[in-house]
């Protein structure tokens, strides 16, 4: 068998014009052959069926355990400031929680590569152990460094593995209904954000901090048992070497780049109310008990028969489903813009009101854009991804970008609170302006991603 001549590097750019058709085909076959051996052909996802929806349910359990846990960080900020870490500044305490947010998103490239190589099983198994072990260690912690290592590092890494393993796995089972599937799975985050703050608030007064954390850990262990048995990837996975270019290559695509920047600015501001709505509510005159319930209201709970239900749960399920039909970028841009308007027009002036109604209404309404953005972000990346066998790396690169927003956003917010100290009712005004403006900038970049992907036609599904 004759040996095919391999062109020299400097010939690469001109060989298509100089080589004969037969040599072009021969070179193409030679280049494609290793890819066929290492990457099986894609099989269209089923877009439904009992097995696919069982994966969604397992993903729901993972979202509750990971992002639902993250959605409860406001109760820890308040509790640590008042008890365990009362000698530390709010900005210093916020680093425990912001590093946890950073790890949840910053581990995405690593977790994405693990998923692309081995599937979801390894991520869910190791993540379950680390997350539960970390929460158990929180129950024994009394010092700042202990809480940091247990909550930020150990639990943070475990929660990140659960979150990304579930998100990537669900994405492989759906295409046209991917937004709905991810929305249903991510609704677990809203349920977790309701259950855990209330559970913490009620139990910590009766059985203490240590046993409250252990009770939460045992609850999450039960949920993760279900996830371990159900969450699987639909596509075949073949181990490949880690190449840095794989993580950087997507940023050469203009829609992907604009989408990543838009997600960064949105994430920079959109999570701030999770951490500070209780403190700002108490500063505005709400009772401590009612202020603590603002967090579960934000996530989807009802505080008594007369107070509103948050739209976070609704926002995680229905807007992504609408996005499957009307365009995911269209839905995301509208939802994020609504979030910015709510912060700038309702949350900022709420302390000037003589009642608690504006703050509670903001907590309820803000759940819609918050839930929508959290649920639809993976679907946005999936929409501009051609080969789903690379979804782990592409999602990982996007989440890594947003991780820096999560790392810096909360400490910046804490510093802005200190700057506003002494302004009375408007003590949190700098924080709120930062929150609203960054979300609005994020909406602008998401719009740029939409235009670069589908053009200027407003009525087109994009």
């Amino acid at each position: 068998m004759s040996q095919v001549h391999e062109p020299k590097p400097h010939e690469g750019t001109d060989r298509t014009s100089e080589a004969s058709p037969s040599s072009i085909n021969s070179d193409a076959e030679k280049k494609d052959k290793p890819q066929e051996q290492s990457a099986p052909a894609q099989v269209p996802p089923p877009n439904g069926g009992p097995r696919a929806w069982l994966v969604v349910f397992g993903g729901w359990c993972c979202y509750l355990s990971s992002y639902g846990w993250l959605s409860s960080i406001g109760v820890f900020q308040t509790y640590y400031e008042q008890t365990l870490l009362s000698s530390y500044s709010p900005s210093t305490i916020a680093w425990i929680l912001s590093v946890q947010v950073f790890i949840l998103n910053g581990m995405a490239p690593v977790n994405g590569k693990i998923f692309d190589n081995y599937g979801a099983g390894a991520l869910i198994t190791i993540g379950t152990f680390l997350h539960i072990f970390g929460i158990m260690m929180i129950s024994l912690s009394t010092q700042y460094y202990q809480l940091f290592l247990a909550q930020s590092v150990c639990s943070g890494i475990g929660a990140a593995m659960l979150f990304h393993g579930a998100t990537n796995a669900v994405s492989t089972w759906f295409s046209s209904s991917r937004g709905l599937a991810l929305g249903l799975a991510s609704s677990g985050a809203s349920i977790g954000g309701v259950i855990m703050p209330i559970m913490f608030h009620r139990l910590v007064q009766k059985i203490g901090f240590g046993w409250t954390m252990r009770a939460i850990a045992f609850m999450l262990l039960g949920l993760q048992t279900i996830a371990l048995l159900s969450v699987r990837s639909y596509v075949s996975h073949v181990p490949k070497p880690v190449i840095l270019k794989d993580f950087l290559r997507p940023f050469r695509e203009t829609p992907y780049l604009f989408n990543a920047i838009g997600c960064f600015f949105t994430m920079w501001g959109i999570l701030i109310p999770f951490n500070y709505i209780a403190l700002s509510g108490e500063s505005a005159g709400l009772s401590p008990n009612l202020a603590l319930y603002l967090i579960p209201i934000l996530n989807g709970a009802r505080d008594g028969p007369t107070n509103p239900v948050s739209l976070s749960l609704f926002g995680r399920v229905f807007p992504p489903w609408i996005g499957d039909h009307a365009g995911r970028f269209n839905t995301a841009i509208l939802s994020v813009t609504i979030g910015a308007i709510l912060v700038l027009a309702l949350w900022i002036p709420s302390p000037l009101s003589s009642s608690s109604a504006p703050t509670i209404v903001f907590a309820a309404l803000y759940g819609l854009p918050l839930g929508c953005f959290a649920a639809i972000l993976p679907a946005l990346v999936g929409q501009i991804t051609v080969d789903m066998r690379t979804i782990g790396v592409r999602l990982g690169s996007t989440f890594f970008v947003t991780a820096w927003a999560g790392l810096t956003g909360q400490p910046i917010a804490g510093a802005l609170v200190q700057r506003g100290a002494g302004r009375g009712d408007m003590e949190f005004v700098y924080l709120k302006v930062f929150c609203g403006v960054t979300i609005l900038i994020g909406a602008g970049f998401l719009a740029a991603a939409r235009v670069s992907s589908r053009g200027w036609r407003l009525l087109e599904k994009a």
Side-chain angles (χ1 to χ4, degrees):
M1 182 174 177
S2 61
Q3 195 173 26
V4 179
H5 171 65
E6 188 72 14
K8 296 178 181 178
H10 70 272
E11 296 173 338
T13 56
D14 297 327
R15 70 171 183 261
T16 55
S17 61
E18 296 176 358
S20 64
S22 61
S23 65
I24 293 173
N25 293 336
S26 178
D27 287 344
E29 290 173 1
K30 188 172 182 180
K31 293 175 84 174
D32 289 340
K33 190 173 182 180
Q35 294 178 359
E36 292 171 359
Q37 292 175 347
S38 62
Q42 290 191 80
V43 179
N47 269 315
R51 188 68 186 89
W53 292 114
L54 184 61
V55 174
V56 172
F57 178 62
W60 182 91
C61 295
C62 288
Y63 265 86
L64 192 154
S65 301
S66 57
Y67 223 102
W69 167 258
L70 182 69
S71 300
S72 308
I73 60 176
V75 297
F76 293 104
Q77 178 79 25
T78 303
Y79 182 80
Y80 292 160
E81 285 187 23
Q82 296 175 351
T83 55
L84 293 177
L85 304 177
S86 58
S87 61
Y88 292 85
S89 68
S91 181
T92 302
I93 295 172
W95 276 106
I96 295 177
L97 310 173
S98 63
V99 169
Q100 187 178 2
V101 176
F102 173 77
I103 290 177
L104 185 75
N105 293 304
M107 283 285 294
V110 177
N111 293 337
K113 190 61 179 178
I114 294 173
F115 178 85
D116 287 345
N117 282 358
Y118 304 104
L123 289 172
I124 304 300
T125 302
I126 300 172
T128 297
F129 171 78
L130 290 176
H131 190 31
I132 303 303
F133 180 75
I135 296 175
M136 289 292 189
M137 292 301 99
I138 294 173
S139 71
L140 302 175
S141 301
T142 57
Q143 303 297 318
Y144 183 93
Y145 78 93
Q146 295 171 339
L147 290 167
F148 184 87
L149 291 175
Q151 187 163 356
S152 300
V153 180
C154 185
S155 174
I157 292 174
M161 288 184 161
L162 300 180
F163 173 63
H164 296 297
T167 301
N168 293 329
V170 171
S171 297
T172 63
W173 286 84
F174 297 87
S175 57
S176 60
S177 301
R178 187 176 295 131
L180 174 62
L182 287 168
L184 289 171
S186 72
S187 67
S190 290
I191 301 300
V194 170
I195 293 174
M196 282 185 272
I198 295 177
M199 187 175 177
F200 180 90
H201 181 60
R202 295 288 180 86
L203 292 181
V204 77
Q205 301 175 12
K206 297 179 180 180
I207 60 177
F209 177 75
W211 276 107
T212 297
M213 300 310 299
R214 294 177 200 123
I216 292 175
F218 283 123
M219 178 187 71
L220 298 186
L221 180 61
L223 291 169
Q224 285 311 119
T225 302
I226 298 173
L228 285 166
L229 298 174
S230 59
V231 178
R232 297 291 184 273
S233 173
Y234 181 71
V235 300
S236 301
H237 296 271
V238 178
K240 299 177 184 177
V242 177
I243 302 174
L244 181 60
K245 289 182 180 179
D246 290 343
F247 298 97
L248 301 177
R249 188 175 293 112
F251 293 98
R252 298 176 183 175
E253 306 167 18
T254 303
Y256 185 94
L257 177 62
F258 281 144
N259 182 66
I261 296 174
C263 291
F264 172 87
F265 277 101
T266 303
M267 186 67 74
W268 217 9
I270 205 166
L271 291 181
I272 286 176
F274 268 133
N275 212 12
Y276 287 97
I277 192 170
L279 290 171
S280 67
E282 195 170 339
S283 174
L286 274 69
S287 67
N289 283 337
L290 180 56
L292 283 174
Y293 271 92
L294 290 174
I295 299 169
I297 289 175
L298 188 66
N299 282 295
R302 182 188 295 272
D303 179 30
T306 60
N307 288 333
V309 176
S310 167
L311 296 177
S312 177
L313 183 59
F314 176 87
R316 287 181 180 270
V317 178
F318 290 101
W321 173 74
I322 293 172
D324 287 337
H325 301 278
R328 296 171 186 129
F329 274 100
N330 296 338
T331 305
I333 293 164
L334 178 62
S335 297
V336 171
T337 302
I338 290 173
I341 293 172
L342 287 173
V343 171
L344 297 173
L346 185 57
W347 197 27
I348 288 178
S350 61
L352 301 178
S353 173
S354 58
S355 72
S356 60
T359 302
I360 296 175
V361 170
F362 167 78
L365 294 180
Y366 188 71
L368 175 64
L370 177 65
C372 177
F373 176 73
I376 210 168
L377 191 159
L380 296 179
V381 178
Q383 179 168 314
I384 53 180
T385 298
V386 176
D387 187 352
M388 290 305 295
R389 292 170 298 192
T390 64
I391 186 64
V393 167
R394 291 174 68 88
L395 263 178
S397 296
T398 299
F399 276 116
F400 185 74
V401 170
T402 64
W404 294 98
L407 178 67
T408 59
Q410 300 297 341
I412 289 174
L416 291 174
V417 170
Q418 289 180 308
R419 178 168 182 174
R423 293 179 61 92
D425 293 338
M426 301 302 287
E427 179 180 357
F428 289 80
V429 66
Y430 295 122
L431 173 148
K432 296 175 183 179
V433 170
F434 174 79
C435 175
V437 170
T438 53
I439 295 173
L440 195 60
I441 294 173
F445 276 102
L446 291 177
R450 186 249 189 235
V451 170
S452 63
S453 175
R454 295 297 179 88
W456 289 94
R457 287 173 291 185
L458 296 179
L459 299 180
E460 182 177 347
K461 178 182 176 180

